[in-house]
Amino acid sequence: MLGRKGSKLKIQPKRVSKDSLMGNEVKYIVEPQDFLFGETEAEKLELDCGQRFGPVNIRYETYGELDAGGNNAILVLHALTGDAHVSGYHGVDDLKPGWWNDMIGSGKWIDTEKYFVVCSNILGGCSGTTGPRSINPETRKPYNLDFPIITIGDMVKAQYRLMKHLGIKKWLSMVGGSMGGMQALEWVTRFPDAVGSVIPVATTARLSSQSIAFDWVGREAITADSKWREGNYEQQVPEQGLATARMLAHITYLSDESMANKFGRELQESGSYSFGFGRDFAVESYLQYQGQRFVERFDANSYLYITRAMDYFDISADSDGDLIKALENVKSSFLVIAFSSDWLFPPAQSHDIVNALLKNGVDVSFCEVQSGYGHDAFLLEVETLGRMVSDFIRNRYQEICND
Amino acid sequence: MINSLKEKLAKRPDLLKMADIITDNASVLDLGCGSGSFLRLLRASKKIRGVGLEMNQDKIIECIANGVNVIQSDLNTGLHFSDDSFDFVVLSRTLQAVERPDLLLREMLRVGRKGVISFINIGYYRARAQMIFRGRMPETKILPSRWYNTDNIHLCTMNDFRALCQELNVRITEEIPLGHKPAWMMNMRPNLFAPICLFVVERE
């Protein structure tokens, strides 16, 4: 994965094919694509920190086809540890589909027979897009901590380049949960003419002190791991630190209720206390498993950079904290969705967004979905979310087609 | 399409009357908008720009399917809009269910220029008769719940509402009794013979 060079432009955005039947299930095979830009000084990406950065590779996947008018493009924005692989399978033998496979696909809530869906790995990520573990062409070594500090806005600027590359003039809609929702808010403020409608889910207009605190502890766990070596780890990655960061974060994605339902005080193997410090409880075992799994697919330095980008996220930073003013140039219509038991980005933070939009006379709908799943609800309440997302986008598409 | 939307609201004469009152191209806030049928009708028949407030999640999902802007919101926490955001603020049969009808009325006329309000008139003779002859709290077709489990915690008569408007310096520009035949009786003694009534109000 390190520094993989982008295969050159494939303009025809048609990469989903119906493939082999597995039982009753048709596996949709999607081929990840790469878009490389910023190789010349002029083309480099101007980052919020002031630095000009390049080259940048963007790993992305597309589903469905762009219609003749270019009106049916939907951008899906992934969360902290997501990637471009949002739906379908990479190969026939692939066991796990993309992370939002229940939501997106042929005949699904976001129907790829009708819409052209794009999802790209964020700048700073570790799933194909240029990030801290990519090879710095100047040194031929991984950037590690020489990678510039990036913001959510920088991620969006990179996505904007991809949009131009794909020949899309305006997104019919974009949808993102958690950090994906933050990107969506950056889109509508930085590129108001490029976004027809937007669906921020379980998100916030600025990262709260509580979330910054969790991010800090997560990064502390990574940097305190002796294998981290100031970011210059090689074969021996700081597994323990990254797993701890993940376990901590994972708790914030759940809720008291969902943990009580899932684990309660259930004991792991022995059925009685070990009178030691090993894994007695089911919840401990679960967290450890989550931590281990995460280490296999995610990079520690990326985790540092992306959480920092979230810390810096405040859509109202340029307007002295005035959210109403920050959203005054917005031209997109909104569907804002929050979840009742989400304590990482509580519904009140969505209320703030909604109220500021209303004060600006923006077309907005808002639903606080009753769910016990906590922040993770945005991936679990597929049916409720799907209905709203699908109807909302259908109505927006109809408006455009009637115009 | 307009006719089929009206048919859907056939059982709600107050809403059909409200639809007549609201002017073309107006901006409308519908408090307790349900599945959005009323806003949909107004959009089709009057080309209004509207948004609804609703508490119930299933209704909100229906609103979104109906293409109506809807905000999940509790009317008891105030209206989160700037002053004079709307030409009309509509409240149909919900006044009696909020914690503080007086505060909501004030909020309605802060965010909107006109308030259009319908409510169940507890001064209706059948309700009075139940009090007088049975000595019990009224239970009628439009008030089917018992006194202890009803959502209608602040029932009032038309006279009560007029008095409230006076207290709050709210001007009543129209007063329409509804739902009783013969109409002449109702028009002569609305507080006695109208089960439902509709008021159009504005700031003094």
Side-chain angles (χ1 to χ4, degrees), chain A residues 66-235:
Chain A
L66 194 61
D67 67 13
N71 292 324
N72 68 336
I74 297 172
L75 181 65
V76 179
L77 301 154
H78 72 71
L80 170 60
T81 65
D83 55 32
H85 186 38
V86 67
S87 173
Y89 296 80
H90 281 156
V92 194
D93 303 326
D94 216 355
L95 293 176
K96 247 185 96 182
W99 57 269
W100 223 3
N101 192 53
D102 294 338
M103 179 68 94
I104 296 162
S106 171
K108 294 183 183 165
W109 298 110
I110 298 179
D111 190 351
T112 51
E113 301 288 331
K114 191 173 170 185
Y115 304 114
F116 176 58
V117 176
V118 180
C119 185
S120 67
N121 186 213
I122 51 167
L123 180 67
C126 53
S127 307
T129 293
T130 303
R133 292 298 271 176
S134 302
I135 300 295
N136 180 347
E138 281 171 25
T139 62
R140 296 175 191 279
K141 285 180 185 159
Y143 286 100
N144 291 333
L145 293 202
D146 289 337
F147 195 74
I149 293 287
I150 48 161
T151 64
I152 304 287
D154 293 329
M155 298 173 187
V156 166
K157 281 184 270 182
Q159 288 158 0
Y160 186 75
R161 299 279 187 104
L162 176 65
M163 172 189 179
K164 293 285 160 199
H165 165 71
L166 293 172
I168 295 163
K169 291 193 181 70
K170 187 174 185 173
W171 299 103
L172 165 64
S173 197
M174 54 178 62
V175 54
S178 195
M179 196 184 81
M182 298 176 202
Q183 294 163 57
L185 292 173
E186 287 284 0
W187 263 100
V188 295
T189 47
R190 285 183 192 242
F191 306 106
D193 294 311
V195 190
S197 65
V198 60
I199 310 173
V201 182
T203 195
T204 182
R206 49 194 158 217
L207 211 73
S208 68
S209 184
Q210 175 182 268
S211 303
I212 293 170
F214 281 122
D215 285 350
W216 169 258
V217 178
R219 286 194 300 270
E220 281 285 285
I222 292 169
T223 55
D225 188 325
S226 59
K227 290 182 186 155
W228 180 62
R229 297 177 52 218
E230 299 300 312
N232 294 316
Y233 50 88
E234 286 170 13
Q235 252 61 44

Side-chain angles (χ1 to χ4, degrees), chain B residues 34-51:
Chain B
S35 58
S37 321
F38 183 58
L39 283 173
R40 239 182 121 193
L41 168 66
L42 290 178
R43 205 175 50 193
S45 62
K46 301 274 174 105
K47 306 233 174 318
I48 62 114
R49 228 181 90 92
V51 56

Side-chain angles (χ1 to χ4, degrees), chain A residues 48 68 135 171 239 271 304 321 330 363 371:
Chain A
D48 285 350
I135 300 295
W171 299 103
E239 283 183 0
L304 301 181
V330 163
D363 272 340
S371 168

Side-chain angles (χ1 to χ4, degrees), chain A residues 335 355 358-359 361 363-370 384 387-388 391 395, chain B residues 49 51 57 60-62 64-72 80-82:
Chain A
L335 170 61
N355 292 341
L358 288 173
K359 295 250 162 73
D363 272 340
V364 53
S365 285
F366 169 67
C367 185
E368 179 185 324
V369 175
Q370 291 302 308
T384 309
R387 270 190 70 181
M388 285 190 278
D391 286 337
N395 283 318
Chain B
R49 228 181 90 92
V51 56
Q57 182 174 311
I60 288 168
I61 292 173
E62 283 181 55
I64 291 165
N66 281 330
V68 167
N69 287 341
V70 61
I71 309 289
Q72 184 156 15
H80 300 277
F81 297 91
S82 311

